């Protein structure tokens, strides 16, 4: 088989890449090892995703997914407190597969595992896959790696990084010094972030904090004995609540993160990998059983064995790219203007690392915004998607060129989906003009992302510019041409299930908003720049807000203020 573009799948980025490549008029083949295409947003069960929650960052395929989910899920997406969105994995996967089926330029083959890549000079030329019975040989012009663990770099002998880098490497504020890396045993055993095998359960009780099940103060047995400290059982269960009382058990506090032998997935040893996966499965199943025990059976398995289709890998191999995104590139005080000019995707996750023991201390990367704290925005430059040793290879998932410290902010599903979209657009443009990624004019790529007909994606940061603004496209194009444009925020469009509520506002500070109605006191938040601008002038005034109440936050999410 010969195709212009081959996409190695399994991760969220592969979906975005294949979809955008096909939508841009270039035929591509997506090959996945499993039957689901959505990566961490569906197959891995991480369907209460973090990051890109504000409406200025809800662009591209990520924004398109949110809007389709809101139409498809009557209960709405305000279901938990770890995220501003919660949906069942199958709900997202249905949308993803519908998108794929609608594209005549996209062929998807599932159940095939990569066995070999051929390389001539600095070009990858072909791949061999196996489904356990037959082999599939594919020739291609360009290849996109959207695998969870960046497998192409092993098969094609492409230089990559794995694990920690010393502070001396890039002077990252949160990185350990070289002597600590060499002498502290922690860094020898915890080389990469710990993965989780998400467990999907269903809650059959009520959510009243005065219920007996929440007042009894039972504690799980070892090794989960501290998992309810300091939040308690109610907050543990509602952390990842999804529609229809499905629960995403992805609990970071002495929960089902798996800390044993984190290098096993990268070892190449079949037995070691199998033992690692088995240990992770059993650990998550045991975590569920402990919670089930202390709830008196009110927590049940959702379906099958409760485990997501695949593990949630927080870190992969990372290509040695033309540019490496470091922690400084994510921080608001050190925003790199050169990166902003070559940006192809925007993220804003605060940064988060998962290891056993206390939280790893990280440089602050959050700001008060809209009644809560939100991560500050950052850019992913196009040069982080490719290196010098495989000229026709683009990375589209967690394997982009970032440091170990920066990976804690760049690894989240919403951003990865849009990185994949940019990789797919770049591959299509390269295929159509017979050039390699390094030869692609960045402004042509950025303009194509802005003008994309189905899911336009913002390469440039502007926190006053919501995705729905009538001035969105023109403002992004002005930024493309280095022109500064003043932006006036606009009201959000209607959302399914929203309703109005009269309340008196108490705006203490940017991160403390409250609404009062009689004896009720509600925490308030917004994801909308227009509400943020208006509400600061309305302290101690009665207003009518439009939005939705999230009892698990708990918060009232305000979409609009009525005159």
């Amino acid at each position: 088989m010969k195709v212009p573009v081959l996409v190695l799948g399994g991760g969220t980025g592969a979906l975005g890449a294949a979809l955008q490549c096909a939508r841009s008029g270039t035929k591509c083949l997506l090959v996945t090892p499993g039957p689901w295409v959505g990566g961490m947003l569906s197959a891995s069960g991480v369907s209460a995703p973090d990051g890109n929650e504000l409406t200025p960052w809800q662009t591209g395929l990520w924004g398109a997914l949110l809007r389709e989910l809101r139409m498809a899920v009557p209960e709405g997406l305000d279901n938990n407190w770890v995220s501003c969105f919660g949906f069942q994995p199958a709900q997202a996967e249905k949308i993803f597969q519908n998108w794929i089926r609608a594209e005549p330029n996209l062929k998807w083959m599932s159940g095939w595992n990569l066995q070999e890549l051929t390389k001539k000079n600095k070009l990858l030329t072909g791949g061999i896959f196996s489904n356990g019975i037959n082999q599939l040989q594919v020739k291609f012009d360009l290849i996109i790696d959207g695998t969870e663990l960046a497998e192409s770099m092993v098969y094609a002998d492409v230089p990559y990084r794995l694990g920690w880098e010393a502070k001396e490497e890039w002077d990252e504020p949160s990185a350990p010094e070289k002597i600590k890396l060499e002498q502290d045993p922690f860094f020898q055993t915890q080389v990469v972030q710990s993965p989780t095998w998400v467990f999907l359960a269903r809650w059959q009780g009520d959510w009243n904090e005065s219920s007996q099940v929440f007042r009894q103060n039972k504690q799980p047995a070892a090794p989960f004995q501290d998992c309810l400290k300091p939040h308690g059982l109610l907050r543990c269960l509602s952390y990842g609540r999804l529609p229809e009382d499905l629960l995403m058990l992805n609990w970071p506090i002495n929960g089902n993160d798996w800390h044993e032998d984190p290098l096993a997935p990268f070892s190449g040893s079949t037995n070691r990998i199998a033992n690692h996966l088995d240990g992770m499965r059993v650990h998550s199943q045991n975590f569920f059983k402990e919670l089930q025990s202390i709830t008196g059976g009110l927590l049940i398995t959702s379906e099958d064995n409760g485990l997501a289709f695949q593990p949630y890998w927080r870190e992969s191999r990372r290509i040695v790219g033309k540019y490496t995104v470091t922690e400084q590139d994510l921080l608001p005080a050190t925003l790199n203007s050169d990166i902003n000019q070559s940006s192809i995707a925007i993220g804003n996750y605060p940064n988060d690392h998962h290891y056993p023991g206390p939280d790893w201390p990280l440089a602050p990367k959050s700001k008060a915004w809209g009644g809560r704290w939100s991560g500050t925005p950052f850019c992913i430059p196009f040069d982080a998607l490719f290196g010098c040793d495989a000229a026709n290879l683009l990375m589209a998932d967690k394997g982009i060129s970032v440091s170990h410290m920066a990976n804690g902010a760049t690894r989240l599903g919403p951003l990865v989906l849009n990185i994949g979209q940019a990789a797919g657009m770049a591959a299509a443009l390269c295929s159509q003009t017979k050039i390699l990624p390094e030869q692609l004019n960045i402004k042509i790529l950025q303009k194509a992302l802005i003008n994309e007909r189905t899911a336009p994606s913002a390469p440039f940061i502007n926190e006053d510019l919501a995705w729905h603004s009538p001035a969105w496209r023109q403002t992004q194009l002005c930024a493309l041409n280095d022109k500064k444009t003043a932006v006036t925020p606009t009201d959000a469009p209607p959302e399914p299930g929203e309703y109005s509520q009269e309340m008196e506002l108490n705006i203490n500070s940017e991160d403390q908003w409250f609404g009062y109605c009689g004896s009720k006191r509600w925490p308030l938040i917004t994801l909308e720049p227009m509400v943020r601008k208006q509400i600061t002038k309305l302290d101690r005034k009665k207003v009518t807000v439009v939005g939705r109440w999230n009892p698990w936050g708990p918060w009232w999410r305000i979409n609009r203020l009525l005159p």
Side-chain angles (χ1 to χ4, degrees):
M1 182 185 298
K2 177 72 166 69
V3 293
V5 178
L6 170 66
V7 181
L8 303 178
T12 303
L15 165 70
L19 194 66
Q20 188 57 63
C21 184
R23 285 180 175 177
S24 300
T26 296
K27 291 186 179 297
C28 68
L29 172 66
L30 170 64
V31 182
T32 64
W36 284 32
V37 295
M40 66 185 99
L41 290 175
S42 60
S44 297
V46 190
S47 49
D50 292 311
N52 288 59
E53 79 284 10
L54 304 182
T55 55
W57 322 138
Q58 292 178 23
T59 71
L61 290 173
W62 165 240
L65 172 64
L66 285 180
R67 289 182 275 286
E68 287 209 27
L69 282 167
R70 284 199 172 107
M71 297 299 294
V73 183
E75 188 177 330
L77 306 184
D78 302 88
N79 292 293
N80 56 70
W81 61 273
V82 68
S83 171
C84 290
F85 318 103
F87 45 88
Q88 295 184 13
Q91 292 169 333
E93 184 66 19
K94 181 179 179 180
I95 291 171
F96 294 150
Q97 294 198 21
N98 285 342
W99 285 353
I100 285 176
R101 281 191 288 268
E103 297 305 322
N105 287 322
L106 174 53
K107 180 178 178 62
W108 172 33
M109 298 183 67
S110 63
W112 294 86
N113 289 287
L114 181 64
Q115 302 289 303
E116 183 181 329
L117 284 174
T118 55
K119 187 178 181 183
K120 185 176 182 181
N121 298 323
K122 290 191 175 183
L123 293 177
L124 304 183
T125 58
I128 298 177
F129 300 84
S130 172
N131 65 358
I133 301 173
N134 300 310
Q135 279 196 337
L136 170 70
Q137 295 190 29
V138 182
K139 299 291 184 182
F140 51 82
D141 299 319
L142 294 137
I143 179 171
I144 301 174
D145 186 339
T147 60
E148 288 279 1
L149 300 178
E151 296 172 12
S152 66
M153 293 187 284
V154 176
Y155 289 101
D157 195 26
V158 174
Y160 63 86
R161 300 183 178 96
L162 183 64
W164 299 84
E165 292 95 17
K167 185 178 180 66
E168 288 83 348
E169 180 86 17
W170 294 297
D171 197 30
E172 294 177 295
S174 306
E177 295 178 348
K178 183 179 180 181
I179 191 169
K180 286 188 176 181
L181 282 179
E182 293 173 345
Q183 296 181 0
D184 190 335
F186 171 84
F187 298 107
Q188 308 307 313
T189 57
Q190 303 301 321
V191 179
V192 295
Q193 289 200 57
S194 300
T196 304
W197 205 313
V198 173
F199 197 97
L200 296 166
R202 192 175 298 279
W203 180 242
Q204 293 187 308
D206 62 42
W207 290 100
N208 191 331
E209 62 183 354
S210 63
S211 297
Q212 175 65 24
V213 67
F214 297 126
R215 290 190 293 108
Q216 62 189 353
N217 200 30
K218 287 185 178 179
Q219 297 298 317
F224 310 109
Q225 67 271 23
D226 294 324
C227 74
L228 302 185
K229 301 175 183 177
H231 294 287
L233 178 61
L234 176 61
R235 296 292 277 175
C236 175
L237 296 179
S238 61
Y239 171 85
R241 184 192 176 276
L242 309 175
E244 300 175 12
D245 279 334
L246 194 70
L247 307 185
M248 176 193 76
L249 297 182
N250 175 27
W251 186 242
I253 305 171
N254 298 296
N256 52 334
D257 282 1
W258 183 237
H259 304 302
E260 300 297 321
D261 195 13
L263 275 183
F266 310 98
S267 67
S269 166
T270 302
N271 288 338
R272 188 176 169 189
I273 292 170
N275 289 337
H276 184 258
L277 292 173
D278 287 343
M280 200 177 345
R281 285 191 196 96
V282 171
H283 185 65
S284 274
Q285 288 168 334
N286 287 342
F287 180 59
F288 161 74
K289 290 174 183 177
E290 281 301 316
L291 293 178
Q292 185 180 49
S293 175
I294 66 173
T295 58
L298 290 174
L299 192 65
I300 63 172
T301 303
S302 61
E303 55 191 32
D304 299 326
N305 62 4
L307 291 167
F309 272 103
Q310 64 188 37
Y312 171 30
W313 306 108
R314 290 187 173 86
E315 191 165 354
S316 77
R317 303 171 183 91
R318 295 167 280 116
I319 194 170
V320 178
K322 188 177 177 184
Y323 185 90
T324 298
V325 177
T326 64
E327 186 182 18
Q328 291 95 316
D329 295 323
L330 311 178
L331 302 178
T334 55
L335 188 62
N336 189 323
S337 60
D338 291 336
I339 290 182
N340 191 45
Q341 289 305 306
S342 60
S343 171
I344 48 84
I346 298 169
N348 80 318
Y349 188 60
N351 208 348
D352 178 36
H353 283 237
H354 287 238
Y355 315 104
D359 288 344
W360 185 262
L362 293 160
K365 206 197 86 53
S366 296
K367 63 183 290 186
W369 203 104
R372 56 191 284 275
W373 284 84
S374 178
T376 52
F378 57 87
C379 295
I380 301 296
F382 182 51
D383 288 353
L385 273 59
F386 60 91
C388 300
D389 289 78
N392 60 338
L393 169 66
L394 285 162
M395 305 306 294
D397 209 90
K398 294 179 289 293
I400 63 172
S401 185
V402 297
S403 70
H404 172 76
M405 299 312 305
N407 168 75
T410 63
R411 62 180 171 81
L412 280 299
L415 173 57
V416 168
L417 182 58
N418 283 2
I419 290 173
Q421 180 179 6
M425 180 71 82
L429 292 170
C430 288
S431 176
Q432 291 160 13
T433 53
K434 307 299 182 185
I435 61 174
L436 295 170
E438 189 172 12
Q439 299 168 311
L440 180 60
N441 185 312
I442 182 60
K443 288 188 179 293
I444 292 175
L445 173 57
Q446 291 168 327
K447 186 175 182 179
L449 290 168
I450 295 168
N451 287 327
E452 211 285 324
R453 290 175 297 175
T454 309
S457 187
F460 302 112
I461 292 173
N462 190 323
E463 68 176 27
D464 289 327
L465 187 67
W467 66 267
H468 52 72
S469 170
W472 183 89
R473 193 182 307 274
Q474 188 58 41
T475 304
Q476 286 287 322
L477 289 172
C478 284
L480 174 70
N481 295 312
D482 300 322
K483 296 179 181 177
K484 291 186 178 180
T485 306
V487 175
T488 300
T490 55
D491 278 333
E495 177 186 309
E498 67 180 13
Y499 54 94
S500 61
Q501 173 68 52
E502 187 178 78
M503 60 180 71
E504 181 178 323
L505 300 179
N506 182 358
I507 310 302
N508 293 330
S509 62
E510 180 74 77
D511 65 328
Q512 289 190 13
W513 295 0
F514 298 98
Y516 294 85
C517 182
S519 61
K520 294 181 180 178
R521 176 180 182 267
W522 296 301
L524 309 176
I525 71 165
T526 190
L527 309 179
E528 292 290 343
M530 183 62 162
V531 174
R532 182 189 182 215
K533 178 182 179 181
Q534 292 173 322
I535 208 167
T536 55
K537 304 172 185 177
L538 298 173
D539 186 35
R540 308 294 175 177
K541 294 184 179 179
K542 282 191 176 181
V543 300
T544 300
V545 305
V546 178
R548 294 189 72 136
W549 167 243
N550 176 357
W552 298 277
W555 56 66
W556 238 97
R557 177 174 58 85
I558 304 175
N559 292 335
R560 291 184 308 286
L561 299 171
L562 294 184

